[in-house]
Amino acid sequence: MALADSASGLSNGGDADSPFPEIIELNVGGQVYLTRHKTLIAVPDSLLWQMFNQKTPKELSRDSKGRYFLDRDGFLFRYILDYLRDLNLVLPDYFPEKSRLKREADFFQLQDLSKRLSPKVSKENSISEEISQSDPEEVGFLGGAGGSTASLEPTRFVSTMTSTHARSQSLESRKSGYITVGYRGSYTIGRDAQADAKFRRVARITVCGKTSLAKEVFGDTLNESRDPDRPPERYTSRYYLKFNFLEQAFEKLSEAGFRMVACSSTGTCAYASSDPSEDKIWTSYTEYVFCRD
C-alpha cells in the first residue's frame, strides 16, 4: 500500500485503518503543500474531513505527479491549513483578503472559521440599514403624520454631503509614490535579419514598489505568493501579475492616477547553434516607471 500511495504521501505510518499515508502532499491551485493526514481531518464534517476520512484515495482527483488536487486559491489555503493545525486564526496585521478567505472557509465548510472572518456590524450600521430599507408605506405614513415629507429632505442632504465628502477624502488620501513594471521577453529573427520576427509571449510581468500602492492598483490581479506577508509600508520586488498583457497593466495604473515617467530596456543576442547562419535569438528586459504625485 505504501508503494501505491508514494506519489502523494511520504510514508504510511499513520492510522492502520486509514488508506491514506501519514504525510500527504497537496496541489492547491498550483501551490504545493505537505501536511499530516490528521491535520486535514481535524474538523469533523468539513469538506477536507469528508475527502480524507470518508473517501478512498482512488476517488480523489490528482495532478500529473500524483498529488491530491484542489482547484482553489493556493495562496489563501496556507491560512486554512494554519487554522486546521491548532484551530486558531492568526492573520498578518495588514490583510485585505478577509472576504476572500471567508469564501474559502465557506467552501471547505469550516463554520467556526467563517464566523470569525464575518464582518462585525455595528449598531449604527444596523440602524442605518433599517432606515434605508424602510417600507415606502411607512415613509408615507411618517410624512402624513408630520404634515409633509419635506422633513426627510435634510436627512437626504446630509447623506449626500457625507458620501461626497468621503469620496473627496479618498482622493486626497491617495498616497504618492512610484511603481515599476518590468517584463522579460525573447524573440527570434531569421537569417540575414529578415523582417518576419517570431515573437514569444511575455512569461511574467513583475511589479516593484511599495506594497500598499501595488495592492491598491492591481488588487486581485496581483500575485503575492512570493512575498505574502510584506507590511504595507515596506517595499517589494517579488510581486508579479496574473495576466501577461502590458496594456492591461498600463490601464490599471492610469486609472489609479499614475503616469509613466521613465522607461529602459536591455537586450542580448545569441545564436541557437554554432552556425552563424542560423536564426538569432534575442532576449530583452524592459522596465516602465510610473509615478503618482
Side-chain angles (χ1 to χ4, degrees):
M1 180 62 71
L3 294 176
D5 286 340
S6 60
S8 59
L10 301 182
S11 66
N12 199 3
D15 189 353
D17 296 332
S18 174
F20 292 97
E22 180 185 8
I23 306 300
I24 292 181
E25 192 171 13
L26 303 173
N27 177 351
V28 185
Q31 300 289 330
V32 178
Y33 291 91
L34 284 174
T35 187
R36 293 185 179 276
H37 175 255
K38 66 177 183 180
T39 301
L40 296 175
I41 61 173
V43 179
D45 298 324
S46 65
L47 179 62
L48 292 172
W49 181 86
Q50 297 173 24
M51 291 175 59
F52 292 95
N53 192 53
Q54 301 296 306
K55 295 185 178 182
T56 63
K58 293 183 179 180
E59 296 179 86
L60 302 180
S61 300
R62 302 201 189 196
D63 63 7
S64 58
K65 295 186 178 181
R67 296 174 291 219
Y68 296 107
F69 179 74
L70 293 168
D71 190 16
R72 302 301 298 179
D73 191 312
F75 166 67
L76 294 177
F77 187 76
R78 62 180 296 187
Y79 300 105
I80 299 291
L81 205 55
D82 284 344
Y83 171 77
L84 291 175
R85 291 188 177 110
D86 53 13
L87 301 183
N88 285 324
L89 177 62
V90 179
L91 297 176
D93 294 336
Y94 180 79
F95 189 76
E97 309 288 348
K98 283 188 178 180
S99 60
R100 294 179 58 192
L101 181 57
K102 182 182 182 304
R103 183 178 63 184
E104 296 300 304
D106 291 337
F107 174 82
F108 287 108
Q109 302 175 20
L110 300 170
Q111 298 180 1
D112 181 65
L113 177 59
S114 180
K115 289 180 181 178
R116 297 188 190 186
L117 293 168
S118 297
K120 297 180 180 179
V121 181
S122 63
K123 184 177 180 180
E124 290 78 6
N125 290 338
S126 299
I127 293 175
S128 63
E129 288 178 1
E130 291 174 3
I131 294 176
S132 62
Q133 297 176 2
S134 297
D135 188 86
E137 295 181 0
E138 182 182 355
V139 174
F141 172 77
L142 291 174
S148 173
T149 58
S151 59
L152 295 178
E153 291 301 326
T155 303
R156 295 172 185 168
F157 176 75
V158 171
S159 177
T160 304
M161 291 295 294
T162 302
S163 60
T164 303
H165 180 64
R167 285 195 297 268
S168 63
Q169 279 188 329
S170 64
L171 292 175
E172 293 176 357
S173 63
R174 293 198 309 183
K175 296 182 179 180
S176 60
Y178 291 84
I179 290 180
T180 300
V181 175
Y183 81 94
R184 189 181 305 277
S186 62
Y187 56 91
T188 302
I189 297 181
R191 301 184 185 89
D192 301 325
Q194 295 177 359
D196 55 339
K198 302 175 183 178
F199 287 89
R200 298 179 181 177
R201 69 182 182 88
V202 177
R204 180 174 293 177
I205 300 176
T206 60
V207 176
C208 307
K210 187 174 289 187
T211 301
S212 58
L213 288 178
K215 292 181 178 181
E216 174 197 337
V217 174
F218 297 106
D220 293 342
T221 62
L222 188 69
N223 194 319
E224 309 168 33
S225 59
R226 296 172 60 193
D227 200 1
D229 299 326
R230 176 72 60 173
E233 297 304 319
R234 299 291 296 275
Y235 290 82
T236 181
S237 60
R238 298 177 60 83
Y239 288 166
Y240 61 93
L241 300 179
K242 297 179 182 179
F243 53 81
N244 297 325
F245 297 99
L246 281 171
E247 293 77 10
Q248 188 175 352
F250 293 166
E251 287 177 357
K252 287 184 174 294
L253 286 161
S254 177
E255 292 172 357
F258 283 81
R259 57 186 177 85
M260 187 185 300
V261 295
C263 173
S264 65
S265 182
T266 60
T268 58
C269 175
Y271 291 102
S273 66
S274 58
D275 186 356
S277 63
E278 291 294 327
D279 294 350
K280 298 178 180 179
I281 299 178
W282 286 82
T283 59
S284 65
Y285 179 73
T286 306
E287 289 185 338
Y288 302 91
V289 182
F290 288 81
C291 172
R292 185 171 69 188
D293 299 326

